[in-house]
Amino acid sequence: MEYWDVYDVERIKTGRTIIRGDAFQPGDLHLVVHVCLFNSEGKMLIQQRQSAKVGWPDMWDISVGGSALKGDDSQGAASREVQEELGLALDFNDVRPSLTINFENGFDDIYLLEKDVDLNQLKLCPDEVQDVDWASREEILDMMEKGIFIPYFPSFISLLFDMRQHMGAIRQLEKG
């Protein structure tokens, strides 16, 4: 059984927990994290979900994602999910999410990190991930068109690529 901390709308833990799969009470929220790893060529590491996964089986997805477990903070959940799904140890101390997206039952903290990773050195979780690859924005958008990538808003994928080396949503203009 997976236990999640319950948060209020102000993102404060209520002291209560919920079991994954149970119905949320009105106003109850939980924390989800996603980590997008980009290489120095500007490509995102993508993963193909296992066939037995509930929700989007066999579909390609952004690098890593999952729910925070009871006791996790955002950084701890991000670190744990990267370790669990990819076998990669990353230190998220002092790393803030690049953006947070609110959804019906919670908050989704999204981390954008640049790290050249040798895909052959990853230890994929056999229950969750069947394959990984590097993909450009255009390749991901094409995969979405073909119905083999989770159908995020195309503008969301573009935003991830646009923000990958910046905090905030204002472009850095070149001086000269």
Side-chain angles (χ1 to χ4, degrees):
M1 256 186 268
E2 199 171 282
Y3 288 88
W4 298 339
D5 287 313
V6 174
Y7 292 79
D8 67 16
V9 71
E10 298 295 326
R11 200 174 165 139
I12 297 170
K13 290 181 183 180
T14 65
R16 295 181 291 114
T17 59
I18 187 171
I19 297 172
R20 182 184 189 130
D22 284 357
F24 284 86
Q25 298 301 312
D28 285 354
L29 303 168
H30 81 292
L31 174 62
V32 170
V33 296
H34 280 90
V35 178
C36 298
L37 297 173
F38 292 89
N39 64 18
S40 56
E41 296 174 9
K43 291 188 173 190
M44 183 192 297
L45 189 148
I46 60 174
Q47 66 156 278
Q48 187 177 23
R49 296 168 61 86
Q50 281 293 358
S51 301
K53 286 289 288 180
V54 174
W56 315 110
D58 292 318
M59 299 284 282
W60 287 87
D61 195 1
I62 59 181
S63 307
V64 170
S67 292
L69 301 178
K70 179 183 176 190
D72 279 345
D73 61 11
S74 178
Q75 291 82 358
S79 178
R80 181 183 46 74
E81 288 290 339
V82 171
Q83 180 69 49
E84 283 179 8
E85 293 185 17
L86 303 177
L88 183 62
L90 295 179
D91 182 3
F92 282 82
N93 288 328
D94 301 321
V95 177
R96 292 187 306 151
S98 297
L99 63 147
T100 298
I101 296 179
N102 296 307
F103 62 98
E104 183 180 1
N105 292 317
F107 316 96
D108 188 349
D109 284 348
I110 300 168
Y111 294 84
L112 306 176
L113 305 174
E114 187 168 302
K115 184 164 183 66
D116 285 313
V117 174
D118 181 350
L119 300 182
N120 295 315
Q121 298 300 311
L122 298 178
K123 292 175 179 53
L124 307 182
C125 176
D127 294 335
E128 297 197 37
V129 181
Q130 61 178 295
D131 200 5
V132 290
D133 204 355
W134 292 106
S136 68
R137 173 192 331 229
E138 294 74 22
E139 289 167 326
I140 292 172
L141 295 174
D142 183 57
M143 293 170 79
M144 288 169 56
E145 269 300 305
K146 292 177 180 170
I148 60 173
F149 201 99
I150 291 177
Y152 295 105
F153 288 108
S155 57
F156 172 66
I157 297 299
S158 289
L159 181 64
L160 297 176
F161 277 86
D162 289 344
M163 289 184 64
R164 72 182 177 87
Q165 294 180 317
H166 309 284
M167 285 299 277
I170 297 176
R171 287 185 295 128
Q172 304 266 335
L173 298 177
E174 301 218 5
K175 295 182 181 184

